[in-house]
Amino acid sequence: MMDGVGSFGAGRTGSTIDPITFAKQPQTILRVLSWIFSLVVFASIVNEGYYNVGSERLYCVFNRNADACNYGVFVGLVGLLACSFFFMLDYKFSSISSVKDRKKAVMLEIGFSGFWTFLYFVSFCFLANQWSRTKKEDLPLNQGADAARAAIAFSFFSIITWAGLTARAVQKYLLGTDMTLFTTEHMDGGAPTQPYPSNSPGGGTTETTEAYQSPPFTENNAAPTYQVPIY
């Protein structure tokens, strides 16, 4: 038996993963939302986060502070790549046979998700502060304003989703090896499968009784009764 069976809430090692069930899991939903939010933060700043005024030099829409734009691009891009990596890790988690490897994967997720929650909190505060200091005359025709607001808003949304991922990872870690007795059906909420095959094709247990039969040669071959002759 492999030492990673049922550890850290992943069910039995090597069990078949149902894509529909996997997609409905709260952790998967949070992961997809985090991926989308990171994409919005990254794309908003890269596409419309810079402007120029009468020259080829580009200025950041956040109070002309290049550090604000660079920080937003960095957090969004790395968050986007990290979501893709952890998404594949979630899908392949049940195939990891070693308890130690599963523990390392969960601890890595806890550390990264918690750290990225903090970085998105810094991103939200930093971008919002620089946007509040931006002068209207610095943005001709309100150029890049929508992108700046989108980056700030989705940085805030990312705090919620990454915090949720951190909580889910902590919950998975606390389960530890207590789930060794559970199979994938238990984790999915379905009824557990019958451990032993049934006696009948329908799956039910049948009990067969046979009528009592007397042992052979007890009636037909019984010795004849001897009668004393009368004289």
Side-chain angles (χ1 to χ4, degrees):
M1 182 180 295
M2 295 183 180
D3 58 347
V5 176
S7 61
F8 294 96
R12 193 174 296 276
T13 305
S15 58
T16 304
I17 301 176
D18 184 11
I20 298 179
T21 303
F22 175 76
K24 292 181 179 180
Q25 293 179 353
Q27 183 171 345
T28 304
I29 298 174
L30 289 173
R31 191 83 67 193
V32 173
L33 290 176
S34 298
W35 189 90
I36 295 174
F37 296 163
S38 296
L39 178 62
V40 172
V41 173
F42 170 75
S44 298
I45 298 178
V46 170
N47 292 333
E48 299 182 14
Y50 296 90
Y51 69 97
N52 58 348
V53 181
S55 64
E56 296 181 356
R57 182 179 180 179
L58 296 177
Y59 297 95
C60 177
V61 295
F62 295 100
N63 196 29
R64 295 191 177 186
N65 188 345
D67 292 336
C69 287
N70 293 336
Y71 184 84
V73 170
F74 168 75
V75 174
L77 178 59
V78 177
L80 182 67
L81 297 176
C83 284
S84 302
F85 170 76
F86 283 110
F87 182 85
M88 295 303 300
L89 183 62
D90 292 340
Y91 191 78
K92 297 294 184 180
F93 192 77
S94 295
S95 63
I96 302 176
S97 60
S98 174
V99 173
K100 294 182 179 180
D101 292 340
R102 287 189 175 191
K103 183 177 180 180
K104 292 178 181 179
V106 174
M107 292 181 66
L108 175 63
E109 183 179 359
I110 293 174
F112 186 89
S113 298
F115 181 60
W116 228 248
T117 302
F118 171 74
L119 290 188
Y120 263 117
F121 175 76
V122 175
S123 175
F124 169 73
C125 296
F126 188 24
L127 296 182
N129 177 266
Q130 293 300 311
W131 179 247
S132 64
R133 297 183 179 183
T134 303
K135 301 178 181 179
K136 293 183 179 180
E137 53 269 20
D138 292 337
L139 297 177
L141 301 177
N142 209 22
Q143 184 178 358
D146 293 337
R149 296 188 185 98
I152 295 173
F154 283 93
S155 292
F156 176 78
F157 297 152
S158 296
I159 298 173
I160 301 175
T161 56
W162 281 97
L165 288 172
T166 304
R168 294 289 300 181
V170 171
Q171 182 181 10
K172 186 190 298 185
Y173 179 81
L174 293 177
L175 288 175
T177 56
D178 293 338
M179 303 302 294
T180 53
L181 299 178
F182 290 84
T183 60
T184 305
E185 286 78 12
H186 287 87
M187 297 303 300
D188 295 338
T193 57
Q194 188 174 0
Y196 298 102
S198 59
N199 297 327
S200 63
T205 303
T206 58
E207 296 182 358
T208 59
T209 58
E210 297 181 356
Y212 172 76
Q213 296 180 357
S214 60
F217 309 109
T218 57
E219 295 180 359
N220 298 332
N221 297 331
T225 303
Y226 177 76
Q227 296 180 358
V228 179
I230 302 175
Y231 298 96

